Amino acid sequence: MNKSSRVFLIASIVLFGILIIALFRLQVIKGEHYRRVAESNFVRIRRLTATRGEIYDQKYRPIVQNIPSHNLYLLSGKIQNLPALARFISLHFELTVEEITEMVLNQRFRTYEEILVVDNVPFEKMLSVSEHLNYFPELVFRIGSTRDYLYPNHFTGYVGRINESEYERYEEEDYSINSYIGKTGLERYYEVLVRGQDGREVVQVDAQGRSLGLFQKGGYIEPLNGLSLVLTIDNELQDFANRVFPAGIKGTIVVSDISSGGILAYISKPDYDPNLFMQRITPEIWEELNSEAKPLMDRVIHATYPPGSVFKPITAGLGLQKKVIDQYTRLSPCVGGFQVGNRFFRCWDHSGHGTSNVAEALMRSCDVFFYDLSLKLRLDDFKAYVLACHLATKTGIDLPNERAGFFPDTAWYRKTFGRNVGIIGHKVNLSIGQGEVLTTPLQMNAFFAALANGGTWITPHLLKQTVGRGRLTREQVERTQKKQLPMSQSELRIIQEGLFAVCNSPYGTARSVQVPKARTFGKTGSAENFMGKKTHAWFCGYIVTDKPEIAVTVFMENAGGGAAMAAPVARQIFDFYMGNIEDIRRPAVLPPQFRSAEDLAQEEPQAQDPLEAEPELKQENDEALHSD
């Protein structure tokens, strides 16, 4: 064998050895890894979207439902001509070529994951577009579901497509690029309950991504549908409150059940239709939603206002607690105003009220009584008392982004106006709910409900229970807080006496608010503000039958006097409630679709001894047994 032959043989042996080692590495050492890679090339996991839970009122009447929708999806791995595809979609839908191109490029690494391009496509549009889909095999229509909000409101909120920042934040919680997520209101607050859990289907595909129909048995994880919410809202009361609120005025109505803290009606005006967010928002609609009227703002919890005279029970309560006054104390006579230093603070009634005790001052809403009382109270004690009454702090209602309101203290004034700031004049303003104090309508409603409830303050809430695949009570989901106001029962009775006189005395500021078969308590307010020339109009009150029933807060921005504007609306709500009290109080029967096997078993009549069922037969049988 010559030298060249030996070199060739050695080289061949070396190359063959390298090949053997490489095959050993691929098939033995790395075999499991490459097997998984190969499987990933022919196995697709299709997401099965869970059905979102619906929302009902306390009588199981729908507020938010799911309805079928036609959605257009894109499989980017099948795109053959992106410019043509972008032009086609842009021609039929309100998307630009640039938006479609960017969408595809952003998802370029999810080659075989369907991308939701357009949702809630009208049926006629779906039919017309489907005629051309043979030219675009990357496009497909699928049946899904969308939300149907049955009436305009703020408390349900709405859902929308998950955005990039939300996807990055919640990706580990099994959201996909096509997921819907609660954006505001209850949809956001209870997202974890109503969303459910998506399922999975394992599909084997060929090289073109077409299903081979394998894994028909197994390879399937059923989706878990979301829980449906049953609210404390009463749809009929909600509808009535919506209708009696004056058109063209901004404001709120809150009606709550005093004994439970549940919200029966929740109105914020102007409102908006959440269904607008179930489709692509046009520039015209977006401009309207962001107009000066701010229809997207939930004025019940997201806006804060000077409370005006509805705040006076707070000042009265502090004076009683500190023993500065009692039920008989008469302070400086009202002559239409009150001199403090070099400034004359006017009363709303320029003719004056004369001398008053605390109940009479509440009845007439005499500013001078509270001006004088404020001089005998320390500002920091005032703030501590306000916080103890759960004002200037969040109520904890089951809605996102609630605002806390505000009440200043000495440190705040010194920081804001300097160390030599005069506190007395500010304190005089605060005593009648003016100046820097800010509250939400919900905070005032919860406070007046506590006055009616023997001083027990209860967290206002909207959720009553869940139904569907699991039934949870409000307390199982989130415990309701119950706290006592900083008032003794004797102090509370004095304030209640004043609130009763407001509605029932000939001299009361809301004497028109009297309801048959119930005792009415309340307080009017007209709050000066920087938002307009007219005052904000307030009424806060409650009714009592054999027990405390409902607390009502009516607030109107720049509408004028509380007695003239807000009180009549509250009267109508009280009348409606009393006229329908039996229906509202009556517990609703759980609908069949929400009943479990355990419920049905409990409803079946128990087997009965035939002798127990037939007394005469039992008597005859006893006589036969005891006869000779």
Side-chain angles (χ1 to χ4, degrees):
M1 181 180 293
N2 57 32
K3 183 177 180 180
S4 61
S5 298
R6 287 198 302 271
V7 170
F8 176 77
L9 178 61
I10 293 171
S12 299
I13 292 172
V14 170
L15 290 174
F16 186 72
I18 293 173
L19 179 61
I20 292 296
I21 293 170
L23 288 172
F24 181 80
R25 180 176 179 273
L26 286 172
Q27 297 183 18
V28 180
I29 298 175
K30 292 285 189 177
E32 181 65 20
H33 168 72
Y34 288 110
R35 183 184 66 80
R36 288 195 300 268
V37 172
E39 286 182 353
S40 68
N41 286 330
F42 75 90
V43 173
R44 302 284 177 260
I45 299 178
R46 180 178 297 163
R47 180 182 291 264
L48 305 174
T49 305
T51 300
R52 197 172 180 89
E54 298 181 317
I55 302 178
Y56 301 89
D57 83 338
Q58 61 171 306
K59 295 290 200 281
Y60 303 102
R61 294 170 295 208
I63 299 175
V64 182
Q65 291 181 308
N66 295 317
I67 58 174
S69 66
H70 301 280
N71 304 322
L72 181 64
Y73 286 85
L74 166 67
L75 197 60
S76 61
K78 292 185 177 182
I79 295 176
Q80 299 174 356
N81 187 333
L82 178 57
L85 171 69
R87 287 194 299 272
F88 173 76
I89 296 176
S90 178
L91 179 65
H92 290 89
F93 301 99
E94 295 178 352
L95 289 169
T96 65
V97 170
E98 292 75 16
E99 287 175 323
I100 299 162
T101 303
E102 182 181 3
M103 181 189 304
V104 172
L105 293 177
N106 287 342
Q107 310 300 330
R108 62 187 179 275
F109 298 116
R110 300 185 177 96
T111 311
Y112 287 99
E113 184 172 352
E114 291 180 344
I115 303 169
L116 179 58
V117 180
V118 185
D119 53 0
N120 298 323
V121 179
F123 182 72
E124 294 77 11
K125 172 75 75 174
M126 186 269 293
L127 291 180
S128 64
V129 172
S130 295
E131 296 176 359
H132 306 281
L133 292 192
N134 57 312
Y135 299 108
F136 300 97
E138 60 268 38
L139 295 177
V140 61
F141 279 105
R142 297 198 184 281
I143 298 294
S145 67
T146 188
R147 299 301 248 181
D148 182 24
Y149 299 90
L150 299 188
Y151 53 76
N153 74 88
H154 286 80
F155 61 85
T156 61
Y158 57 86
V159 299
R161 286 280 300 279
I162 195 167
N163 58 39
E164 287 293 333
S165 62
E166 289 170 334
Y167 179 69
E168 291 176 3
R169 193 186 320 161
Y170 299 120
E171 183 178 7
E172 294 183 358
E173 298 180 27
D174 198 33
Y175 283 88
S176 77
I177 57 172
N178 300 323
S179 291
Y180 288 86
I181 191 170
K183 299 289 187 176
T184 62
L186 292 168
E187 294 275 27
R188 176 177 171 184
Y189 192 90
Y190 288 120
E191 169 74 10
V192 69
L193 296 181
V194 299
R195 179 196 166 211
Q197 184 176 341
D198 291 348
R200 298 291 189 276
E201 181 182 20
V202 179
V203 182
Q204 189 178 29
V205 297
D206 61 15
Q208 284 73 43
R210 294 173 299 203
S211 174
L212 297 177
L214 303 179
F215 299 108
Q216 293 180 3
K217 295 182 180 179
Y220 179 84
I221 302 175
E222 186 175 359
L224 295 176
N225 294 334
L227 298 175
S228 291
L229 308 181
V230 179
L231 306 185
T232 57
I233 291 288
D234 184 282
N235 273 0
E236 291 185 354
L237 186 58
Q238 173 81 12
D239 176 65
F240 182 81
N242 185 63
R243 287 188 281 116
V244 298
F245 195 90
I249 291 180
K250 295 178 282 188
T252 69
I253 295 176
V254 182
V255 183
S256 62
D257 183 290
I258 292 169
S259 61
S260 69
I263 303 298
L264 299 175
Y266 189 108
I267 305 292
S268 176
K269 291 289 187 176
D271 53 22
Y272 70 97
D273 183 1
N275 291 305
L276 293 172
F277 291 91
M278 297 300 99
Q279 54 193 342
R280 187 175 177 84
I281 299 289
T282 64
E284 294 76 20
I285 293 177
W286 185 247
E287 183 178 356
E288 183 178 344
L289 290 173
N290 289 275
S291 65
E292 186 179 354
K294 298 181 179 179
L296 291 177
M297 176 183 286
D298 181 353
R299 288 170 164 81
V300 176
I301 61 170
H302 294 161
T304 56
Y305 305 94
S309 292
V310 295
F311 186 82
K312 288 174 179 175
I314 301 283
T315 310
L318 178 59
L320 292 168
Q321 186 201 64
K322 295 298 183 182
K323 309 300 182 186
V324 173
I325 58 172
D326 59 26
Q327 66 186 104
Y328 306 108
T329 304
R330 293 182 178 274
L331 299 180
S332 298
C334 174
V335 293
F338 186 69
Q339 191 74 35
V340 179
N342 59 0
R343 182 176 174 186
F344 187 72
F345 290 84
R346 291 193 175 277
C347 181
W348 71 269
D349 186 346
H350 295 180
S351 62
H353 294 106
T355 59
S356 303
N357 60 32
V358 62
E360 292 168 343
L362 289 169
M363 173 186 69
R364 300 187 179 104
S365 200
C366 178
D367 294 334
V368 168
F369 181 93
F370 296 96
Y371 292 155
D372 194 3
L373 177 58
S374 72
L375 302 182
K376 303 168 176 58
L377 303 172
R378 292 182 64 253
L379 177 60
D380 293 341
D381 290 341
F382 207 162
K383 178 169 184 177
Y385 192 83
V386 167
L387 293 175
C389 289
H390 309 287
L391 302 180
T393 185
K394 296 179 181 180
T395 66
I397 190 174
D398 42 354
L399 288 172
N401 301 324
E402 179 186 13
R403 292 188 66 183
F406 181 72
F407 194 89
D409 56 15
T410 303
W412 183 86
Y413 278 118
R414 288 176 176 171
K415 181 179 179 181
T416 305
F417 300 109
R419 296 194 59 83
N420 297 322
V421 62
I423 299 294
I424 293 176
H426 292 290
K427 200 167 51 170
V428 168
N429 264 335
L430 293 173
S431 71
I432 61 166
Q434 295 286 174
E436 291 77 17
V437 57
L438 295 171
T439 64
T440 66
L442 181 67
Q443 289 171 345
M444 296 310 305
N445 181 268
F447 171 70
F448 273 78
L451 293 177
N453 200 28
T456 301
W457 184 94
I458 303 176
T459 306
H461 57 273
L462 288 156
L463 179 66
K464 182 178 181 181
Q465 67 175 42
T466 69
V467 291
R469 62 179 175 86
R471 201 177 307 163
L472 300 172
T473 65
R474 156 76 190 180
E475 296 303 309
Q476 289 173 312
V477 174
E478 186 174 13
R479 188 172 181 180
T480 303
Q481 298 293 317
K482 294 185 178 182
K483 304 174 183 178
Q484 287 301 122
L485 295 180
M487 299 179 184
S488 68
Q489 289 303 303
S490 61
E491 294 163 2
L492 183 61
R493 281 193 296 271
I494 294 169
I495 292 174
Q496 288 173 340
E497 179 185 338
L499 299 181
F500 182 80
V502 168
C503 298
N504 296 276
S505 168
Y507 305 103
T509 57
R511 51 190 174 277
S512 64
V513 187
Q514 297 178 26
V515 183
K517 300 180 181 179
R519 289 178 294 144
T520 313
F521 302 72
K523 186 73 192 75
T524 57
S526 303
E528 296 179 1
N529 63 92
F530 67 90
M531 298 170 63
K533 294 182 179 179
K534 288 187 175 182
T535 60
H536 293 327
W538 284 90
F539 177 86
C540 295
Y542 56 91
I543 55 173
V544 177
T545 56
D546 57 329
K547 65 179 183 65
E549 292 288 348
I550 58 171
V552 173
T553 295
V554 178
F555 169 78
M556 301 178 183
E557 286 187 18
N558 303 121
M565 296 299 297
V569 174
R571 164 66 191 269
Q572 293 181 72
I573 294 171
F574 286 138
D575 283 341
F576 179 87
Y577 179 86
M578 290 303 300
N580 298 273
I581 189 169
E582 296 303 324
D583 290 337
I584 295 173
R585 279 182 173 183
R586 186 180 298 115
V589 177
L590 188 69
Q593 66 267 30
F594 298 134
R595 296 180 192 175
S596 64
E598 182 180 347
D599 295 325
L600 296 174
Q602 291 176 351
E603 292 176 5
E604 291 179 0
Q606 298 295 318
Q608 199 170 21
D609 187 335
L611 296 181
E612 294 292 336
E614 300 289 346
E616 294 181 1
L617 180 61
K618 183 177 185 298
Q619 182 178 358
E620 292 175 3
N621 199 47
D622 288 343
E623 291 174 354
L625 287 171
H626 293 90
S627 62
D628 293 336

